[in-house]
Amino acid sequence: FSPDGHLFQVEYALEAVRKGTTTVGVRGKDCVILAVEKRATPKLQDPRTIRKILMVDGDIALAFAGLNADARVLVNKTRIECQSYRLNVEDAPTVDYVARYIARTQQ
């Protein structure tokens, strides 16, 4: 709490949401399409370094709308979980398993 009663953590979270981009996923009969809004990049930043759609496993992709640093941590944890799943089960993780893992981690 600040002296005037504000919760800085909540204010920072709201600011991160405002800085986020729009992300859309569309599921078809036998395909999925992910789209992310591309914003203007600062002059000193290489536009090729901004990636909002990342591969988590061989056939599983993830799109995020928030801050890159927050998503990078989550994606790295998810990639490690997918590798662990492959070692233990000797099969590729399902999309349902990965989605449940991400939901559990974020909650």
Side-chain angles (χ1 to χ4, degrees):
F1 286 102
S2 68
D4 57 348
H6 289 215
L7 286 171
F8 286 124
Q9 189 173 9
V10 172
E11 290 179 11
Y12 292 146
L14 291 173
E15 184 64 27
V17 169
R18 271 188 237 110
K19 288 184 178 180
T21 57
T22 304
T23 303
V24 178
V26 180
R27 184 179 73 166
K29 191 172 182 179
D30 57 351
C31 66
V32 173
I33 298 172
L34 298 173
V36 179
E37 176 186 10
K38 187 172 185 175
R39 292 216 173 146
T41 57
K43 290 181 180 181
L44 296 176
Q45 187 173 14
D46 186 2
R48 295 174 295 176
T49 62
I50 301 174
R51 304 243 185 262
K52 294 278 191 174
I53 300 175
L54 302 170
M55 293 301 293
V56 174
D57 199 44
D59 56 351
I60 299 175
L62 179 138
F64 64 92
L67 300 175
N68 286 352
D70 295 339
R72 186 173 45 246
V73 171
L74 183 61
V75 168
N76 288 337
K77 284 183 181 180
T78 306
R79 286 176 176 160
I80 291 170
E81 180 64 23
C82 288
Q83 291 171 356
S84 175
Y85 185 92
R86 281 182 182 275
L87 287 172
N88 293 331
V89 182
E90 297 181 0
D91 197 15
T94 62
V95 175
D96 183 58
Y97 177 81
V98 174
R100 287 180 188 275
Y101 173 78
I102 292 172
R104 235 183 8 254
T105 303
Q106 284 301 99
Q107 205 172 29

